[in-house]
PDB file of all heavy atoms in Angstrom:
ATOM      1  N   TYR A1359      29.125-109.641-112.907  1.00  0.00           N
ATOM      2  CA  TYR A1359      27.901-108.849-112.771  1.00  0.00           C
ATOM      3  C   TYR A1359      26.848-109.586-111.943  1.00  0.00           C
ATOM      4  O   TYR A1359      26.057-108.941-111.231  1.00  0.00           O
ATOM      5  CB  TYR A1359      27.368-108.460-114.144  1.00  0.00           C
ATOM      6  CG  TYR A1359      28.210-107.382-114.795  1.00  0.00           C
ATOM      7  CD1 TYR A1359      28.969-107.638-115.928  1.00  0.00           C
ATOM      8  CD2 TYR A1359      28.260-106.101-114.251  1.00  0.00           C
ATOM      9  CE1 TYR A1359      29.759-106.651-116.500  1.00  0.00           C
ATOM     10  CE2 TYR A1359      29.049-105.107-114.816  1.00  0.00           C
ATOM     11  CZ  TYR A1359      29.792-105.385-115.942  1.00  0.00           C
ATOM     12  OH  TYR A1359      30.579-104.410-116.504  1.00  0.00           O
ATOM     13  N   VAL A1380      11.246-104.732 -96.775  1.00  0.00           N
ATOM     14  CA  VAL A1380      12.053-105.250 -95.670  1.00  0.00           C
ATOM     15  C   VAL A1380      13.518-105.293 -96.096  1.00  0.00           C
ATOM     16  O   VAL A1380      13.828-105.249 -97.285  1.00  0.00           O
ATOM     17  CB  VAL A1380      11.591-106.663 -95.251  1.00  0.00           C
ATOM     18  CG1 VAL A1380      10.167-106.622 -94.729  1.00  0.00           C
ATOM     19  CG2 VAL A1380      11.694-107.634 -96.431  1.00  0.00           C
ATOM     20  N   THR A1385      21.636-106.387 -91.837  1.00  0.00           N
ATOM     21  CA  THR A1385      21.900-105.100 -92.481  1.00  0.00           C
ATOM     22  C   THR A1385      21.148-103.993 -91.756  1.00  0.00           C
ATOM     23  O   THR A1385      19.949-104.110 -91.507  1.00  0.00           O
ATOM     24  CB  THR A1385      21.472-105.122 -93.962  1.00  0.00           C
ATOM     25  OG1 THR A1385      22.140-106.201 -94.630  1.00  0.00           O
ATOM     26  CG2 THR A1385      21.824-103.813 -94.646  1.00  0.00           C
ATOM     27  N   GLN A1398      28.527-100.854 -93.438  1.00  0.00           N
ATOM     28  CA  GLN A1398      28.297-102.249 -93.821  1.00  0.00           C
ATOM     29  C   GLN A1398      28.337-102.427 -95.337  1.00  0.00           C
ATOM     30  O   GLN A1398      28.981-103.354 -95.848  1.00  0.00           O
ATOM     31  CB  GLN A1398      26.947-102.719 -93.273  1.00  0.00           C
ATOM     32  CG  GLN A1398      26.898-102.843 -91.757  1.00  0.00           C
ATOM     33  CD  GLN A1398      25.510-103.210 -91.257  1.00  0.00           C
ATOM     34  OE1 GLN A1398      24.499-103.002 -91.944  1.00  0.00           O
ATOM     35  NE2 GLN A1398      25.431-103.773 -90.059  1.00  0.00           N
ATOM     36  N   GLY A1401      31.859-102.103 -96.708  1.00  0.00           N
ATOM     37  CA  GLY A1401      32.662-103.284 -96.428  1.00  0.00           C
ATOM     38  C   GLY A1401      32.350-104.430 -97.376  1.00  0.00           C
ATOM     39  O   GLY A1401      33.260-105.120 -97.852  1.00  0.00           O
ATOM     40  N   ARG A1402      31.075-104.642 -97.676  1.00  0.00           N
ATOM     41  CA  ARG A1402      30.701-105.722 -98.585  1.00  0.00           C
ATOM     42  C   ARG A1402      31.202-105.461-100.005  1.00  0.00           C
ATOM     43  O   ARG A1402      31.653-106.375-100.699  1.00  0.00           O
ATOM     44  CB  ARG A1402      29.181-105.894 -98.590  1.00  0.00           C
ATOM     45  CG  ARG A1402      28.634-106.377 -97.257  1.00  0.00           C
ATOM     46  CD  ARG A1402      27.118-106.471 -97.242  1.00  0.00           C
ATOM     47  NE  ARG A1402      26.626-106.594 -95.877  1.00  0.00           N
ATOM     48  CZ  ARG A1402      25.352-106.686 -95.554  1.00  0.00           C
ATOM     49  NH1 ARG A1402      24.419-106.678 -96.496  1.00  0.00           N
ATOM     50  NH2 ARG A1402      24.989-106.786 -94.282  1.00  0.00           N
ATOM     51  N   GLU A1412      41.209-111.152-107.064  1.00  0.00           N
ATOM     52  CA  GLU A1412      41.884-112.431-106.849  1.00  0.00           C
ATOM     53  C   GLU A1412      41.443-113.458-107.886  1.00  0.00           C
ATOM     54  O   GLU A1412      42.259-114.219-108.408  1.00  0.00           O
ATOM     55  CB  GLU A1412      41.583-112.940-105.434  1.00  0.00           C
ATOM     56  CG  GLU A1412      42.208-112.090-104.332  1.00  0.00           C
ATOM     57  CD  GLU A1412      41.721-112.477-102.949  1.00  0.00           C
ATOM     58  OE1 GLU A1412      40.893-113.423-102.859  1.00  0.00           O
ATOM     59  OE2 GLU A1412      42.154-111.848-101.970  1.00  0.00           O
ATOM     60  N   LEU A1455      46.969 -90.354-118.698  1.00  0.00           N
ATOM     61  CA  LEU A1455      47.882 -91.013-119.640  1.00  0.00           C
ATOM     62  C   LEU A1455      47.860 -90.375-121.025  1.00  0.00           C
ATOM     63  O   LEU A1455      48.754 -90.623-121.834  1.00  0.00           O
ATOM     64  CB  LEU A1455      47.512 -92.495-119.774  1.00  0.00           C
ATOM     65  CG  LEU A1455      47.767 -93.398-118.568  1.00  0.00           C
ATOM     66  CD1 LEU A1455      47.179 -94.774-118.823  1.00  0.00           C
ATOM     67  CD2 LEU A1455      49.267 -93.504-118.276  1.00  0.00           C
ATOM     68  N   TRP A1514      23.825 -73.215-118.967  1.00  0.00           N
ATOM     69  CA  TRP A1514      24.678 -72.342-118.151  1.00  0.00           C
ATOM     70  C   TRP A1514      25.971 -73.056-117.760  1.00  0.00           C
ATOM     71  O   TRP A1514      27.061 -72.470-117.825  1.00  0.00           O
ATOM     72  CB  TRP A1514      23.912 -71.897-116.913  1.00  0.00           C
ATOM     73  CG  TRP A1514      24.676 -70.992-116.000  1.00  0.00           C
ATOM     74  CD1 TRP A1514      25.020 -71.213-114.706  1.00  0.00           C
ATOM     75  CD2 TRP A1514      25.207 -69.696-116.323  1.00  0.00           C
ATOM     76  NE1 TRP A1514      25.725 -70.152-114.192  1.00  0.00           N
ATOM     77  CE2 TRP A1514      25.852 -69.208-115.172  1.00  0.00           C
ATOM     78  CE3 TRP A1514      25.201 -68.913-117.477  1.00  0.00           C
ATOM     79  CZ2 TRP A1514      26.480 -67.957-115.128  1.00  0.00           C
ATOM     80  CZ3 TRP A1514      25.834 -67.683-117.448  1.00  0.00           C
ATOM     81  CH2 TRP A1514      26.463 -67.217-116.289  1.00  0.00           C
ATOM     82  N   ASN A1521      33.788 -71.119-121.596  1.00  0.00           N
ATOM     83  CA  ASN A1521      34.618 -69.955-121.258  1.00  0.00           C
ATOM     84  C   ASN A1521      35.920 -70.371-120.580  1.00  0.00           C
ATOM     85  O   ASN A1521      36.966 -69.737-120.786  1.00  0.00           O
ATOM     86  CB  ASN A1521      33.835 -68.992-120.365  1.00  0.00           C
ATOM     87  CG  ASN A1521      32.719 -68.292-121.114  1.00  0.00           C
ATOM     88  OD1 ASN A1521      32.782 -68.125-122.340  1.00  0.00           O
ATOM     89  ND2 ASN A1521      31.677 -67.876-120.408  1.00  0.00           N
ATOM     90  N   HIS A1545      20.523 -89.148-124.961  1.00  0.00           N
ATOM     91  CA  HIS A1545      20.947 -89.580-123.638  1.00  0.00           C
ATOM     92  C   HIS A1545      22.137 -90.527-123.713  1.00  0.00           C
ATOM     93  O   HIS A1545      22.385 -91.317-122.807  1.00  0.00           O
ATOM     94  CB  HIS A1545      19.782 -90.260-122.913  1.00  0.00           C
ATOM     95  CG  HIS A1545      19.995 -90.393-121.439  1.00  0.00           C
ATOM     96  ND1 HIS A1545      20.136 -89.310-120.601  1.00  0.00           N
ATOM     97  CD2 HIS A1545      20.089 -91.482-120.644  1.00  0.00           C
ATOM     98  CE1 HIS A1545      20.309 -89.731-119.368  1.00  0.00           C
ATOM     99  NE2 HIS A1545      20.289 -91.044-119.353  1.00  0.00           N
ATOM    100  N   LEU A1584      35.771-100.536-118.933  1.00  0.00           N
ATOM    101  CA  LEU A1584      36.852 -99.989-119.756  1.00  0.00           C
ATOM    102  C   LEU A1584      37.291-101.087-120.710  1.00  0.00           C
ATOM    103  O   LEU A1584      37.590-102.208-120.291  1.00  0.00           O
ATOM    104  CB  LEU A1584      38.025 -99.555-118.872  1.00  0.00           C
ATOM    105  CG  LEU A1584      39.332 -99.220-119.588  1.00  0.00           C
ATOM    106  CD1 LEU A1584      39.178 -97.988-120.466  1.00  0.00           C
ATOM    107  CD2 LEU A1584      40.458 -99.023-118.583  1.00  0.00           C
ATOM    108  N   THR A1611      29.701 -72.428-130.577  1.00  0.00           N
ATOM    109  CA  THR A1611      30.556 -71.253-130.698  1.00  0.00           C
ATOM    110  C   THR A1611      30.050 -70.176-129.749  1.00  0.00           C
ATOM    111  O   THR A1611      29.032 -70.347-129.074  1.00  0.00           O
ATOM    112  CB  THR A1611      30.547 -70.714-132.139  1.00  0.00           C
ATOM    113  OG1 THR A1611      29.228 -70.227-132.436  1.00  0.00           O
ATOM    114  CG2 THR A1611      30.933 -71.792-133.146  1.00  0.00           C
ATOM    115  N   THR A1614      26.533 -69.250-130.276  1.00  0.00           N
ATOM    116  CA  THR A1614      25.506 -70.158-129.755  1.00  0.00           C
ATOM    117  C   THR A1614      24.863 -69.585-128.501  1.00  0.00           C
ATOM    118  O   THR A1614      23.637 -69.575-128.353  1.00  0.00           O
ATOM    119  CB  THR A1614      26.128 -71.534-129.428  1.00  0.00           C
ATOM    120  OG1 THR A1614      26.726 -72.088-130.607  1.00  0.00           O
ATOM    121  CG2 THR A1614      25.055 -72.492-128.902  1.00  0.00           C
ATOM    122  N   ASP A1619      17.267 -67.486-127.654  1.00  0.00           N
ATOM    123  CA  ASP A1619      16.698 -68.685-127.023  1.00  0.00           C
ATOM    124  C   ASP A1619      17.669 -69.399-126.098  1.00  0.00           C
ATOM    125  O   ASP A1619      17.288 -70.363-125.421  1.00  0.00           O
ATOM    126  CB  ASP A1619      16.201 -69.663-128.099  1.00  0.00           C
ATOM    127  CG  ASP A1619      17.323 -70.171-128.978  1.00  0.00           C
ATOM    128  OD1 ASP A1619      18.170 -69.354-129.396  1.00  0.00           O
ATOM    129  OD2 ASP A1619      17.365 -71.379-129.255  1.00  0.00           O
ATOM    130  N   ILE A1633      22.415 -76.376-106.712  1.00  0.00           N
ATOM    131  CA  ILE A1633      22.030 -77.783-106.859  1.00  0.00           C
ATOM    132  C   ILE A1633      22.910 -78.519-107.868  1.00  0.00           C
ATOM    133  O   ILE A1633      22.535 -79.577-108.362  1.00  0.00           O
ATOM    134  CB  ILE A1633      20.550 -77.908-107.282  1.00  0.00           C
ATOM    135  CG1 ILE A1633      20.332 -77.279-108.677  1.00  0.00           C
ATOM    136  CG2 ILE A1633      19.640 -77.243-106.250  1.00  0.00           C
ATOM    137  CD1 ILE A1633      18.966 -77.581-109.269  1.00  0.00           C
ATOM    138  N   MET A1636      23.478 -82.218-107.804  1.00  0.00           N
ATOM    139  CA  MET A1636      22.306 -83.085-107.971  1.00  0.00           C
ATOM    140  C   MET A1636      21.945 -83.263-109.442  1.00  0.00           C
ATOM    141  O   MET A1636      20.985 -83.983-109.770  1.00  0.00           O
ATOM    142  CB  MET A1636      21.108 -82.488-107.212  1.00  0.00           C
ATOM    143  CG  MET A1636      21.350 -82.360-105.712  1.00  0.00           C
ATOM    144  SD  MET A1636      19.937 -81.636-104.833  1.00  0.00           S
ATOM    145  CE  MET A1636      18.735 -82.953-105.021  1.00  0.00           C
TER     146      MET A1636
END
Side-chain angles (χ1 to χ4, degrees):
Y1359 287 112
V1380 297
T1385 304
Q1398 292 176 339
R1402 294 177 195 180
E1412 292 171 0
L1455 291 173
W1514 180 241
N1521 290 334
H1545 196 62
L1584 168 66
T1611 66
T1614 302
D1619 63 316
I1633 64 170
M1636 299 179 68

